[in-house]
Amino acid sequence: MPKIWLMIIKNRNTLYTGIVSVIFSAVLIWWFTGDHYPAEMVLRVPGMDNRPKIEPRADSTVIGEFFDSLGVMDEIVAGSWPRFRGADFSNIARDSFALAESWDTAGPPLVWKTALGEGYAGPAVLNGRVYILDYNERRKADMLRCFSLKSGTELWRRWYYVELKRNHGYSRTVPAVTGKYLVTIGPRSHVMCLDPITGNLLWTIDMEKEFGVPGSEKGKVTPDFYTGQCPLIDNDVAVLAPGAKALMIGVRCSDGMILWKTPNPDSLRMSHGSIIPMLIHGRRMYVYNAVGGVVGVAAEGPETGKLLWTTREWSPATTAASPLYLGNNEIAVFGSYGAGGARLRIDFDGSRYSAVVVETHKATEGIASDQQTPVMTGDFIWTVMPENAGPLKKQLVCYNRSDLKNPVWSSGKDRRFGRGLGPFIVKDGKMLLLDDDANLYYFRLNGSQAELISRHSVIKGIEAWGPMALAGNYLILRDSRNLLCLYIGKNPAS
């Protein structure tokens, strides 16, 4: 081969090698300067893994935009559970209907069952209707669904498109309903107010847009695991706690007008807990365990909405259980993931209120709850202890309200209840407790003791964490993907 051709081939190979080297170097520079590596490895914590980054939403979300009329009301049966923890926030049913004394091997009769999107939202019941928030993964829609309590017939849906990433399910809240109004908070802090019979939309609020502070971590509204706060309707006013620009707000249900806003000088943020009205020093106030502190806000009179007291001494990173009034102007508060609990005392000197943290304890040292708010019967407080509570983990445990550190009774190491995240509810001195796998336990409470009456596997369920509702003869419960209605009265339904 002539020398000239050898030189051409050699130069061409050198040129190709140079081009490839330049391209490779450019790609390498692009890779190292961009964000292309997997996220930093972190310790996997139960219940806190797979947390997606909440992306900014487009402004096209129209809350409550669509309505589907699906069925006709058949029969209105008695019984109500109008909001989170029932009519008086105690999680104790006050209906006059008597519960069955026990169950046979078949368990309480199943009245109806329907499929849901994955989530833990609980039902509210009034005037023979069951209301529950649901996220439809196929449509990518947040839905309020209305069913007949008697038959399970779906009557209507009010829904709208909103993009969500699965984060241990989607919906988590319980609606609030009265004879005139129905209020919900969706996973992304979207508020709807509707007519509870017709489903007609009265007004909406996007709390992320209205009260969030762009670019500010402390001005963020929706928590990482989506909204867990349940709305409150008080004298036809919706009471909500957005955090960020307003610690708490009161919205007139008739027209959506914001009547008052509570300032937020400490930049507290929305937690997964809910606002609980309490009577302290003879004054009615809204008590809320926010992210960053606990607050009391005036709930009546011309000063409604005024911040009466706050403490930042109790400030766990995550809280889901709501505050519990202990009497004697004292409050129990709870934190998740081992944070345990605390006792607060509210003092009043005749002109101003103040909060004193009397004691705190970890989950291994006293009463705790990762998710469900404990129930108080007389002087006794009942809870299912979390996974990280040491020897008492996952047990049903009873404490005296005067001593939050030393239990007076526990179910024992041989009787534990899932991961300690399932709900429990009380009526007529009996407790219904649901574990993670939808096994339903029936206890008789005798002072500080609980005697197991019956046990039944309701469904081959998973993550049965949503709050239950007990309305008349009916217990409405769920696992992560099913809603069930059981007849638990003395005489089986015909």
Side-chain angles (χ1 to χ4, degrees):
M1 181 179 293
K3 184 181 290 186
I4 184 67
W5 287 109
L6 291 173
M7 293 177 63
I8 291 173
I9 292 171
K10 182 177 180 180
N11 291 338
R12 184 180 63 185
N13 290 341
T14 301
L15 178 63
Y16 287 166
T17 301
I19 292 172
V20 170
S21 298
V22 169
I23 293 172
F24 178 78
S25 298
V27 170
L28 200 61
I29 292 170
W30 168 79
W31 180 266
F32 279 109
T33 56
D35 182 17
H36 305 290
Y37 281 99
E40 181 182 356
M41 292 181 65
V42 296
L43 180 65
R44 183 180 173 96
V45 180
M48 297 184 72
D49 52 334
N50 299 323
R51 180 186 303 180
K53 180 181 178 182
I54 296 180
E55 302 291 346
R57 287 182 292 110
D59 290 336
S60 58
T61 298
V62 181
I63 304 171
E65 181 177 10
F66 303 105
F67 183 80
D68 297 333
S69 182
L70 301 172
V72 178
M73 187 66 185
D74 37 34
E75 179 184 349
I76 296 177
V77 292
S80 69
W81 192 264
R83 54 194 171 198
F84 174 64
R85 292 180 62 79
D88 62 359
F89 305 95
S90 66
N91 221 45
I92 300 175
R94 309 292 184 183
D95 288 342
S96 59
F97 299 89
L99 298 178
E101 290 301 320
S102 62
W103 308 323
D104 60 23
T105 55
L110 175 67
V111 181
W112 52 266
K113 171 186 168 186
T114 191
L116 299 174
E118 186 179 358
Y120 317 110
V125 184
L126 191 67
N127 293 328
R129 294 167 174 84
V130 178
Y131 305 94
I132 191 164
L133 275 177
D134 191 19
Y135 187 74
N136 186 299
E137 297 165 70
R138 181 179 58 82
R139 285 192 187 180
K140 298 188 181 303
D142 185 29
M143 294 182 170
L144 173 64
R145 303 174 66 182
C146 176
F147 299 89
S148 161
L149 173 60
K150 174 69 174 179
S151 66
T153 299
E154 188 164 7
L155 306 177
W156 51 260
R157 298 178 182 178
R158 172 69 65 181
W159 60 280
Y160 57 97
Y161 293 115
V162 58
E163 186 80 28
L164 299 177
K165 294 181 179 179
R166 181 187 176 276
N167 189 12
H168 295 287
Y170 301 91
S171 302
R172 284 161 167 72
T173 61
V174 179
V177 59
T178 70
K180 296 189 293 184
Y181 305 110
L182 172 63
V183 176
T184 67
I185 307 179
R188 292 296 300 267
S189 302
H190 297 131
V191 181
M192 294 192 294
C193 182
L194 310 93
D195 182 296
I197 304 301
T198 66
N200 290 340
L201 189 64
L202 302 178
W203 51 265
T204 67
I205 295 177
D206 186 333
M207 291 198 290
E208 284 189 354
K209 289 184 180 178
E210 293 294 324
F211 298 102
V213 180
S216 169
E217 178 65 19
K218 289 189 176 181
K220 172 183 171 182
V221 170
T222 301
D224 290 327
F225 295 114
Y226 300 131
T227 308
Q229 176 191 155
C230 302
L232 165 65
I233 300 177
D234 193 18
N235 293 321
D236 293 340
V237 174
V239 183
L240 312 165
K245 288 182 181 178
L247 176 58
M248 204 175 288
I249 61 173
V251 188
R252 191 162 59 198
C253 287
S254 60
D255 58 9
M257 176 178 286
I258 297 178
L259 301 177
W260 51 265
K261 298 179 185 178
T262 304
N264 191 13
D266 294 318
S267 299
L268 304 184
R269 290 166 47 186
M270 183 191 294
S271 70
H272 295 290
S274 299
I275 302 165
I276 304 295
M278 298 181 186
L279 191 66
I280 301 175
H281 288 288
R283 184 165 189 178
R284 194 164 181 271
M285 55 186 73
Y286 302 125
V287 178
Y288 180 56
N289 191 353
V291 173
V294 189
V295 301
V297 173
E300 60 186 3
E303 291 189 321
T304 298
K306 178 183 177 181
L307 182 60
L308 299 176
W309 56 266
T310 184
T311 178
R312 303 195 69 183
E313 288 185 62
W314 171 255
S315 180
T318 305
T319 182
S322 297
L324 183 69
Y325 185 59
L326 300 175
N328 299 320
N329 305 312
E330 292 187 332
I331 300 165
V333 285
F334 311 92
S336 303
Y337 306 114
R343 181 193 298 270
L344 310 184
R345 187 184 71 242
I346 310 304
D347 293 335
F348 181 57
D349 64 7
S351 61
R352 60 183 297 272
Y353 297 87
S354 59
V356 178
V357 178
V358 177
E359 62 182 45
T360 63
H361 57 262
K362 298 296 185 183
T364 53
E365 302 167 338
I367 189 170
S369 176
D370 269 1
Q371 187 157 286
Q372 309 295 334
T373 305
V375 176
M376 190 160 73
T377 59
D379 289 332
F380 302 107
I381 307 172
W382 302 86
T383 189
V384 177
M385 298 292 279
E387 285 186 299
N388 44 25
L392 292 175
K393 65 181 181 181
K394 309 175 188 177
Q395 293 186 46
L396 176 63
V397 181
C398 180
Y399 290 81
N400 192 293
R401 63 177 176 172
S402 64
D403 183 355
L404 303 183
K405 293 186 176 181
N406 298 294
V408 294
W409 179 89
S410 67
S411 57
K413 63 181 181 179
D414 296 327
R415 181 160 290 148
R416 303 184 194 266
F417 303 95
R419 290 174 54 192
L421 298 174
F424 40 95
I425 198 167
V426 171
K427 176 175 170 52
D428 296 339
K430 299 184 180 71
M431 175 184 288
L432 294 150
L433 186 156
L434 193 67
D435 72 12
D436 300 63
D437 300 322
N439 295 302
L440 186 62
Y441 297 82
Y442 195 20
F443 292 93
R444 179 177 291 106
L445 304 182
N446 299 304
S448 63
Q449 309 290 307
E451 174 194 356
L452 182 64
I453 303 171
S454 302
R455 175 188 177 278
H456 181 66
S457 178
V458 175
I459 184 177
K460 291 183 183 291
I462 181 173
E463 296 183 347
W465 298 343
M468 297 185 287
L470 209 170
N473 287 315
Y474 302 93
L475 180 70
I476 305 95
L477 54 87
R478 67 168 298 165
D479 75 341
S480 65
R481 289 193 174 272
N482 299 277
L483 181 69
L484 296 84
C485 178
L486 305 179
Y487 190 93
I488 57 169
K490 277 198 168 181
N491 299 310
S494 57

